[in-house]
């Protein structure tokens, strides 16, 4: 049961920014995760990278001058992984669930192992990792902000249904958590990148005329994590896709 005095205290509490706060970024050793970790680090956060790739992780952590935990979030207990992070780095205020993978199979070819791997990586791991970190935040009565890196394909066809279904689940998880954790002072949001990578083969489909770069995602990610900027935003899912999601069947007709 929420006590009114507690709610009032939270409403009146000064909203902390990024500086000095502890942030964890899963899959932070490269690409989008690395760009977000770099932007958080620049903004003064104490960043902890979690990644399964030992070499990339060591190089990223050296480059940013931040901490690293080598682990595979899809294997074993993600609760135990969160406990390791808490033991080594204390309560985490800013949680970035960036890890996400797919395999290149369509519905009729997909093996059960592939299904399990993608769902364990994109949904199960982040779920239990976040839950354990959230328990620590609540126990410490801290404000916290959680960001999931979802995808344009949470709501649009990808041709890899296990991937799009996992991202649709993430999109709904964000809303559920925003509702459930809001009274504890924990905000939960998502960004949904479009096509982030090299190559221009689909550039014609993108109103802004180019593929995105990790650096297009990082500033918005930081803004959604930063209580001083987005302290009254929760349950949001922001497309970062250059307008790719606006693509219409009418683009293929003379109409
Ligand atoms: N790249 C895109 O165009 C794009 C578009 C939409 C959404 N996304 C989403 O953005 C997020 C990041 O994508 P990306 O392209 O930067 O990823 P990526 O494939 O470049 O991988 C990022 C990092 O995650 C690590 N990683 C992968 N599986 C892991 C696991 N089980 N445990 C720990 N670390 C693991 C990798 O080692 C790597 O360093 C994902 O959730 C992805 O679904 C990407």
């Amino acid at each position: 049961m929420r006590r009114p005095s507690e709610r009032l205290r939270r409403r009146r509490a000064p909203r902390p920014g990024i500086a000095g706060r502890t942030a964890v970024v899963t899959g932070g050793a490269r690409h989008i995760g690395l760009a977000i970790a770099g932007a958080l680090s620049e903004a003064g956060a104490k960043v902890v990278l979690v990644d399964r790739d030992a070499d990339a992780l060591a190089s990223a952590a050296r480059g940013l001058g931040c901490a690293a935990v080598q682990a595979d979030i899809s294997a074993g207990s993600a609760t135990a992984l969160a406990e390791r992070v808490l033991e080594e780095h204390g309560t985490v205020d800013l949680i970035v669930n960036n890890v996400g993978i797919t395999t290149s199979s369509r519905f009729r070819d997909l093996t059960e192992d592939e299904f399990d791997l993608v769902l364990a990586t994109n949904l199960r791991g982040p779920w239990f990792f976040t839950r354990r970190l959230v328990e620590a935040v609540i126990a410490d009565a801290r404000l916290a902000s959680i960001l999931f890196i979802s995808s344009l394909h949470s709501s649009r066809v990808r041709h890899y249904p296990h991937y799009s279904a996992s991202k649709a689940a993430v999109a709904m998880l964000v809303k559920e958590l925003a509702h459930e954790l809001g009274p504890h002072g924990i905000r939960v949001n998502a960004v949904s990148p479009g096509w982030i990578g090299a190559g221009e083969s689909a550039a014609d489909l993108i109103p802004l005329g180019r593929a995105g770069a990790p650096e297009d995602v990082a500033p918005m990610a930081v803004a959604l994590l930063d209580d001083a900027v987005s302290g009254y935003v929760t349950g949001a899912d922001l497309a970062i896709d250059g307008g790719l999601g606006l693509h219409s069947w009418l683009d293929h007709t003379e109409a």
Side-chain angles (χ1 to χ4, degrees), residues 37-156:
L40 285 170
S41 186
E42 239 170 65
K46 291 178 266 177
V47 176
V48 182
L49 305 176
V50 174
D51 206 288
R52 67 178 174 189
D53 182 333
D55 291 343
L57 181 65
S59 143
R62 234 187 351 265
L64 297 182
C66 69
V69 173
Q70 197 231 328
D72 182 337
I73 202 165
S74 72
S77 163
T79 305
L81 171 58
E83 262 156 23
R84 191 174 144 204
V85 169
L86 290 169
E87 265 165 37
E88 292 175 15
H89 304 286
T91 302
V92 178
D93 312 290
L94 309 171
I95 303 166
V96 182
N97 285 302
N98 167 70
V99 159
I101 61 160
T102 189
T103 59
S104 309
S105 294
R106 303 206 68 175
F107 176 70
R108 293 170 65 200
D109 305 319
L110 188 76
T111 65
E112 293 184 34
D113 283 350
E114 275 176 274
F115 179 94
D116 288 345
L117 175 66
V118 170
L119 269 291
T121 306
N122 297 3
L123 184 63
R124 187 182 197 283
W127 182 302
F128 290 101
F129 182 69
T130 300
R131 189 175 75 174
R132 181 63 190 92
L133 296 182
V134 159
E135 290 310 326
V137 168
I138 293 172
D140 286 358
R142 303 245 286 248
L143 291 174
S145 181
I146 302 172
L147 185 71
F148 283 81
I149 312 305
S150 182
S151 168
L152 177 66
H153 300 294
S154 66
S155 59
R156 285 178 176 78

Side-chain angles (χ1 to χ4, degrees), residues 144-231:
S145 181
I146 302 172
L147 185 71
F148 283 81
I149 312 305
S150 182
S151 168
L152 177 66
H153 300 294
S154 66
S155 59
R156 285 178 176 78
V157 167
R158 173 67 177 90
H159 300 175
Y160 304 145
H162 52 316
Y163 178 75
S164 47
S166 75
K167 291 297 188 178
V170 165
M172 202 55 222
L173 178 63
V174 165
K175 293 185 201 301
E176 290 280 356
L177 296 193
H179 187 267
E180 182 173 335
L181 301 178
H184 295 284
I186 300 174
R187 298 186 302 110
V188 188
N189 293 292
V191 293
S192 284
W195 176 30
I196 308 297
E200 293 298 321
S201 60
D204 287 351
L205 304 179
I206 302 175
L208 293 186
R210 64 172 176 85
E215 292 69 30
D216 291 312
V217 179
M220 293 311 303
V222 173
L224 279 175
L225 288 162
D226 188 343
D227 283 293
V229 176
S230 56

Side-chain angles (χ1 to χ4, degrees), residues 13-38:
R15 295 192 182 282
I18 298 287
R21 302 182 84 197
T22 300
V24 70
V25 183
T26 67
R30 65 165 72 86
H31 211 216
I32 295 173
L34 177 58
I36 294 172

